[in-house]
Amino acid sequence: MRILIDGLDLSGKTTLVAALAQELQKRGHAAVRHRGMLAQHHPLEPLLKRLPLVRQPDSAFITTAFLTAGYALDALLVAVDPPEPRQAVIIQDGYVDRTVAFGMAGGPYLAAALALRWTGLFAAFDVAVYLHAPVEERRRRLAVRSKPDAVDIRGVQDPVFAETFTAMLVRGMGRRHRRLLVFDTSQHTPAQMATTVADMALQQTGTAARAGLERAA
């Protein structure tokens, strides 16, 4: 089971990842918080980490590098080299979805446009959760963030950039996932969202298990 949490910076991704891990563990399911590539031993990830990710929305080169040498390769590798531990629920904090959304909002760059057209090139998740929040709420969160970066600030100061980013997620990248949830984090607490996501994920696991038993019979 893989669950993706993604969305614009200051939308509450990291908070929900922590709440969801706690909710799943409370229900007796091992959960692992994960960032970066899914494949356990992605050969190019160390090189990609040297690129200044904060500049990705303003760089066609960085966007292309992550989409091709990073996430497209990751989709091929993950089938034979999945993340560990294999029996745990993987809660992924950001993935290719945000790279494409940033590439379209900051560009649009050719690699992002092509990725948006052929979303099936990238690894899918059992449940994807996209988060957003009104600019007033993100501005409040920005004010209390100890070390905001350029992307944090741009998402608050540039409404067109923020709107394009979220639209590219919901209307574009979301269609490759098995199930999709979208939350306005100014309207729901982390605990409420975690409960909803866990319910959907575990329901899907139960459905898959029943289908497997039916095929075996």
Side-chain angles (χ1 to χ4, degrees), residues 36-37 42 66-75 94-96 99 121-123:
M37 304 300 159
H42 193 297
F66 270 93
L67 291 179
T68 55
Y71 295 113
L73 178 58
D74 196 41
Y95 195 62
V96 65
T99 302
L121 292 174
F122 307 105

Side-chain angles (χ1 to χ4, degrees), residues 101-186:
F102 276 137
M104 294 300 293
Y109 304 122
L110 178 60
L114 293 175
L116 196 63
R117 181 169 183 176
W118 291 300
T119 59
L121 292 174
F122 307 105
F125 287 76
D126 299 289
V127 178
V129 183
Y130 293 153
L131 305 180
H132 65 97
V135 65
E136 295 81 7
E137 177 64 21
R138 288 184 284 109
R139 184 176 291 114
R140 185 189 65 79
R141 295 172 185 175
L142 179 65
V144 298
R145 177 160 288 190
S146 59
K147 294 182 179 179
D149 61 30
V151 179
D152 296 332
I153 296 169
R154 184 173 183 180
V156 170
Q157 295 183 345
D158 187 341
V160 175
F161 178 87
E163 291 170 8
T164 302
F165 177 96
T166 300
M168 293 302 102
L169 289 183
V170 177
R171 300 174 191 170
M173 297 304 290
R175 67 181 184 271
R176 81 182 198 283
H177 302 297
R178 294 178 180 87
R179 302 292 295 274
L180 177 63
L181 290 168
V182 181
F183 290 107
D184 177 344
T185 57
S186 70

